[in-house]
């Protein structure tokens, strides 16, 4: 695989988009099942059985996203910063991903009972927005490259 620079190599793009899609879809499905996916069990309402596998998949994909983010921080971002294009949307994207990592840590390790639902909702809301911010970042980059 070639080195990541301003232009991200195609195999890495496929890996990054695949991991992002897996994380996004599993996160949305988990959130939906956690909020509205109760099923009727032997002793009354209980959580949907798909929640735990979805959360494990989401965690694995998020872990791979963190690794990918590290590769982007050390290669793509410094190379792109020198060009001066897409900086503001890029900074927004970096901030959102960093926020997701911090809130995921808090949800997994720290989560206090009173604040957990609020933190989970904010984490889900920001996570839902990341692909759209990324697509905007890519679109602006393509538009600026043509000019």
């Amino acid at each position: 695989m070639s080195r990541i620079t301003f232009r991200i190599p195609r195999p890495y793009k496929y890996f990054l988009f695949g991991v992002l899609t897996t994380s996004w879809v599993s996160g949305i499905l988990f959130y939906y099942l956690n909020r509205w996916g109760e099923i009727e069990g032997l002793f009354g309402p209980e959580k949907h059985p798909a929640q735990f596998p979805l959360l494990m998949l989401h965690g694995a994909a998020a872990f791979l996203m963190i690794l990918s983010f590290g590769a982007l921080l050390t290669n793509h971002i410094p190379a792109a910063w020198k060009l001066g294009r897409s900086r503001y949307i890029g900074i927004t994207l970096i901030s959102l991903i960093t926020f997701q990592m911090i809130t995921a840590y808090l949800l997994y390790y720290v989560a206090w009972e009173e604040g957990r639902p609020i933190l989970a909702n904010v984490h889900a809301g920001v996570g839902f927005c990341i692909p759209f911010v990324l697509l905007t970042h890519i679109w602006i980059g393509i538009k600026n490259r043509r000019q």
Side-chain angles (χ1 to χ4, degrees):
M1 189 180 287
S2 58
R3 188 170 186 272
I4 300 169
T5 58
F6 172 70
R7 286 188 165 218
I8 300 173
R10 188 168 296 193
Y12 186 77
K13 279 183 193 178
Y14 293 149
F15 176 77
L16 180 64
F17 294 151
V19 167
L20 177 64
T21 302
T22 303
S23 179
W24 192 67
V25 170
S26 63
I28 289 172
L29 289 173
F30 173 79
Y31 184 80
Y32 174 80
L33 291 177
N34 193 42
R35 293 290 180 254
W36 303 288
E38 284 188 343
I39 61 170
E40 193 62 39
L42 292 174
F43 304 104
E46 58 185 42
K47 299 232 180 244
H48 195 281
Q51 275 186 273
F52 185 65
L54 280 170
L55 189 58
M56 289 190 327
L57 178 63
H58 183 65
F63 181 77
L64 292 173
M65 280 296 300
I66 292 170
L67 293 174
S68 302
F69 184 60
L72 292 173
L73 280 175
T74 58
N75 294 299
H76 173 70
I77 294 169
W81 191 264
K82 292 175 187 172
L83 296 175
R85 295 187 250 165
S86 305
R87 276 191 184 172
Y88 296 117
I89 193 77
I91 290 169
T92 303
L93 196 54
I94 291 168
S95 301
L96 293 177
I97 292 170
T98 303
F99 178 81
Q100 287 298 94
M101 288 189 287
I102 292 168
T103 56
Y105 177 85
L106 293 173
L107 283 168
Y108 194 78
Y109 291 109
V110 179
W112 65 106
E113 291 305 313
E114 299 81 30
R116 184 178 182 80
I118 296 168
L119 190 60
N121 288 333
V122 172
H123 180 83
V126 170
F128 183 79
C129 295
I130 286 178
F132 303 108
V133 176
L134 177 61
L135 289 173
T136 304
H137 177 68
I138 293 168
W139 179 74
I140 289 172
I142 291 169
K143 183 179 158 192
N144 287 339
R145 192 179 327 141
R146 289 182 184 157
Q147 291 177 350

